[in-house]
Amino acid sequence: MTNPRIGVIGIPGKWSTEVLADALEKRTGFRCVVDMADTALDLQRRALMAGGQNLCELDGLVIKKISQEYSPATLDRLEMLRVAEASGVKIFSKTASILGLVNRLSCTVTLSNAGIPMPETVVTESPDEAMAAVHRFGNAVSKPLFSTKARGMTLMEAATPEADLKARITAFQAHNPVMYLQKKVNLSGRDLGMVFLGGEYLGTYARVAQTDSWNTTILHGGKYEPFEPDADLIELARKAQAPFDLDFTTVDVGLTEDGPIIFEVSAFGGFKGALEGASIDAAGLYAEHVIKKVQT
């Protein structure tokens, strides 16, 4: 196979989607960027159509972004891609791998079962249990099960008057029936993104808060900086991403007084942090990895 046809599932016009499509086009001469919102699955014909292109006829598909924001509908889009996968299209990363990550709880349970150190976490549908968790933690971060870049996350403080805290929990549960609460840990305004390609470590960048926001995400004003981890930290991140069998990912790591903890393993990984914080051309390296696997 000299010129494989490999498409990119993403958000047309978005930098990370387009830079990956550019890298693949440069190496193969083929370009196809697909927004899953524009696809149609025809099970009778076993066709997944995007405009005039049947994605089931491509050699490969790289999922850079399955949707702008995570939601249960994201899982439906992955189910549609399973048809292309069953037709012989190589998907990066595999749909089964991503299905185990889009839901925050699924990711957390897998990490916990693997013995990976994480912040203390309580998951409940009971407002009373949620209240008890906040008091036990001192401060807790309530997180939607489907979200990216800290969207929808809320800081719950035990010092809040009881009636006000109960109201905050009720308001959060109105949009999140199953409540996921994690103990807020002191990160001194910095956390890490550790980048892996095909299970191999590439490098690390730091996200550093520039404001008084309790989180470090770029969405909330953080910036990327270089960071050099030691061998033990690299090994911890490697163990964290291993159960998910991903082609490309970023492991989110926090450094605390009690040692490193893992927040999550990304379903898709971040290109911009790798480039700006660690000088890694993740898009180019990923494109070469995908082409090699498609051709074997």
Side-chain angles (χ1 to χ4, degrees), residues 144-267:
L145 296 185
F146 296 90
S147 74
T148 60
K149 302 184 186 299
R151 292 184 179 92
M153 295 185 185
T154 303
L155 180 61
M156 305 278 189
E157 298 175 290
T160 303
E162 201 80 354
D164 292 342
L165 179 57
K166 185 174 181 179
R168 288 175 67 83
I169 290 172
T170 299
F172 180 75
Q173 190 174 33
H175 300 282
N176 304 275
V178 177
M179 294 177 285
Y180 177 112
L181 301 102
Q182 276 189 335
K183 181 178 181 179
K184 183 181 180 295
V185 294
N186 181 16
L187 299 176
S188 301
R190 179 181 66 182
D191 68 351
L192 309 177
M194 303 186 71
V195 186
F196 289 81
L197 177 65
E200 298 298 321
Y201 172 71
L202 293 184
T204 297
Y205 58 88
R207 285 176 293 252
V208 182
Q210 302 298 300
T211 68
D212 59 359
S213 172
W214 58 268
N215 73 71
T216 63
T217 63
I218 304 306
L219 186 67
H220 290 83
K223 73 172 185 177
Y224 298 119
E225 291 183 357
F227 186 89
E228 289 295 333
D230 61 26
D232 288 342
L233 192 58
I234 293 171
E235 180 61 14
L236 173 62
R238 187 195 65 76
K239 288 181 179 178
Q241 59 84 44
F244 299 100
D245 190 26
L246 296 160
D247 286 284
F248 181 78
T249 188
T250 302
V251 181
D252 289 347
V253 182
L255 302 179
T256 77
E257 294 177 352
D258 298 320
I261 55 173
I262 305 297
F263 287 110
E264 64 182 16
V265 176
S266 170

Side-chain angles (χ1 to χ4, degrees), residues 13 76 124 175 291:
D76 298 330
T124 183
H175 300 282
I291 292 166

Side-chain angles (χ1 to χ4, degrees), residues 8 44 46 55 116 213 249 269 274 281 286 291:
V8 176
Q44 182 71 23
R46 301 292 295 176
L55 303 184
I116 302 299
S213 172
T249 188
D281 176 16
Y286 196 10
I291 292 166

